[in-house]
Amino acid sequence: MRVNKKGLLVAGAFAIAATLGLAGCAAGDSDAGGETSAEGGSLTVWVDSERLDALKGAAESYEEKTGISVKLVGKDTSTIKDDFIQQVPTGKGPDVVMGAHDWLGELSTNGVVAPLELGDSAADYLPVAIQAATYEGTVYLLPYAVENIAVLRNADLVPEAPTSFDDMVAKGTFVVQQGAEGDPYHLYPFQTAFGAPVFGSTDAGYDPTDLQIGNAGGEQFAAWLGSQGKNGTGVFNTDIDGDIAKQQFLDGTAAFWLTGPWNVGAALDAGINVAIDTVPSPTDQPASPFAGVKGFYVSSESKNKVAANDFLVNYLGTEDVQLSLFEAGNVLPALTSAAETASADPIIAGFAAVGAEAVPMPAIPAMGAVWQYWGIAEAEIINGADPATTWQKLAADVAAAIQ
């Protein structure tokens, strides 16, 4: 196990811990909010059950070198966030929890996560990972994976990557899931190509008071979206949901599929010669998708915050561990050195290239006011509604909901 070259020294961290009196037991040290474990130096870490084995080596190494035991508890990803939010205020729950960066606004609002001290090691991570880990200027997440969509191309049908959106459509059928209520997550790269992010941003992150979705670029995007819908080229279709898009690519009907790494395995299993392309832009600006970042949070009620910080930065923030997590999930590592190693796989390299243009999905609470209107408005435009009127109403509805 390598120690992060820019991380804290273990001995130094525990000298600080002793001074602060933080080397005792965890806040709850419970499996799932149950009984508290016996006193002693320990950390309880809730993780996705599928990644439990990937962390065992780091936990054992940490205990061997520090005397602080690390109890890994596999949790159901569908309930882990809510369980964490509910249990932290009671003094139960874990010291560390694995989760997604877009939980951050909710976790921060509920006061259940503590700031993380990355120090100089922040420079060792992909920039988008650190951006996503930061909320209101403070880092809260130790990132381990970065996930974004890209275009899967059937290289047997189309040997060369397209140079633009129009070139792609001319070369073969392109599918992207929408459904009756739309899917703005998958359309966002095209929206950003028109200079219409959802929110503006500052050095501290996204600014909820700077709603950009209704700017001139947003209206231009809406007009373009309408031209690609029911009354135009028909490229975007609300009858195409995720299952239909997937099947059309797998059976060779579609040459291009806008999706994420979670669907690559199915394409390879179907015998598709898969190439990964950047999202072709309909303008002269990059088409930037959302990036989702996964990582680890420290509980605000942990009685062992220094040890938790040390375990994350100096053990889970190493190339060995990040590659172990990569092997468990096949998602691009957040640590730059691990990402470069994983990119020996051309599929991973393709997603990494797209990810270099990606932007973190906003984790601010105001984003909740966007989702409920966004997809429906886009679906209406695809199906023939007036783009300008529909987009202006979207922006007004979102602004009112935020206020």
Side-chain angles (χ1 to χ4, degrees):
M1 176 66 62
R2 291 190 291 274
V3 176
N4 191 309
K5 63 183 180 181
K6 294 185 179 178
L8 301 171
L9 293 176
V10 172
F14 278 89
I16 296 171
T19 301
L20 298 178
L22 297 175
C25 62
D29 280 352
S30 63
D31 289 1
E35 297 180 359
T36 302
S37 65
E39 290 187 1
S42 63
L43 294 172
T44 297
V45 182
W46 283 2
V47 301
D48 172 357
S49 296
E50 295 182 359
R51 288 161 179 78
L52 201 62
D53 290 343
L55 297 177
K56 286 182 177 178
E60 292 169 357
S61 178
Y62 191 73
E63 182 171 1
E64 178 183 348
K65 292 187 177 181
T66 68
I68 302 295
S69 65
V70 179
K71 184 176 184 180
L72 301 175
V73 180
K75 296 283 289 183
D76 183 342
T77 56
S78 66
T79 60
I80 189 171
K81 181 184 70 171
D82 289 342
D83 287 351
F84 181 70
I85 290 173
Q86 291 167 9
Q87 292 188 33
V88 167
T90 71
K92 298 181 180 180
D95 298 277
V96 173
V97 65
M98 176 184 281
H101 92 271
D102 57 342
W103 299 358
L104 187 45
E106 184 177 1
L107 297 182
S108 179
T109 300
N110 281 279
V112 295
V113 288
L116 192 66
E117 296 296 334
L118 284 180
D120 290 344
S121 68
D124 295 339
Y125 291 85
L126 299 173
V128 71
I130 296 300
Q131 291 170 15
T134 303
Y135 183 70
E136 295 183 343
T138 300
V139 175
Y140 287 91
L141 183 77
L142 188 285
Y144 79 83
V146 177
E147 195 169 59
N148 53 263
I149 58 175
V151 172
L152 274 62
R153 170 168 50 89
N154 186 327
D156 288 336
L157 296 178
V158 182
E160 299 295 329
T163 58
S164 67
F165 182 86
D166 290 341
D167 185 43
M168 177 181 66
V169 173
K171 282 181 163 66
T173 299
F174 167 65
V175 289
V176 53
Q177 68 181 60
Q178 284 301 289
E181 296 185 351
D183 190 324
Y185 172 81
H186 282 85
L187 292 182
Y188 194 61
F190 306 116
Q191 183 175 321
T192 60
F194 285 90
V198 178
F199 295 102
S201 59
T202 67
D203 291 342
Y206 286 108
D207 181 358
T209 68
D210 184 15
L211 187 65
Q212 290 285 318
I213 197 169
N215 67 16
E219 293 191 13
Q220 291 167 12
F221 164 69
W224 175 83
L225 182 63
S227 73
Q228 303 297 323
K230 181 178 179 180
N231 294 334
T233 64
V235 171
F236 298 122
N237 186 338
T238 58
D239 291 336
I240 304 293
D241 61 13
D243 290 338
I244 293 173
K246 180 177 183 177
Q247 188 56 49
Q248 289 191 2
F249 187 76
L250 297 186
D251 66 20
T253 302
F256 302 96
W257 180 22
L258 183 60
T259 189
W262 50 86
N263 275 320
V264 171
L268 295 176
D269 289 345
I272 304 293
N273 180 10
V274 177
I276 306 298
D277 297 336
T278 57
V279 182
S281 176
T283 73
D284 60 358
Q285 299 300 310
S288 300
F290 278 135
V293 175
K294 298 179 181 179
F296 299 88
Y297 295 99
V298 175
S299 166
S300 61
E301 295 300 317
S302 171
K303 294 181 174 61
N304 218 348
K305 291 186 181 70
V306 172
N309 196 102
D310 178 49
F311 177 62
L312 295 190
V313 174
N314 291 320
Y315 287 77
L316 302 192
T318 62
E319 184 175 351
D320 291 343
V321 174
Q322 297 242 334
L323 286 174
S324 293
L325 288 163
F326 161 70
E327 291 164 2
N330 212 36
V331 178
L332 182 72
L335 191 69
T336 301
S337 60
E340 290 172 350
T341 299
S343 292
D345 180 334
I347 297 291
I348 300 300
F351 277 102
V354 179
E357 297 285 355
V359 294
M361 184 182 295
I364 54 178
M367 190 64 187
V370 180
W371 292 114
Q372 61 179 317
Y373 302 106
W374 198 8
I376 292 173
E378 290 183 340
E380 290 175 350
I381 291 170
I382 289 170
N383 286 326
D386 179 71
T389 303
T390 306
W391 200 258
Q392 289 166 1
K393 183 176 185 303
L394 161 66
D397 287 342
V398 170
I402 291 174
Q403 292 175 0

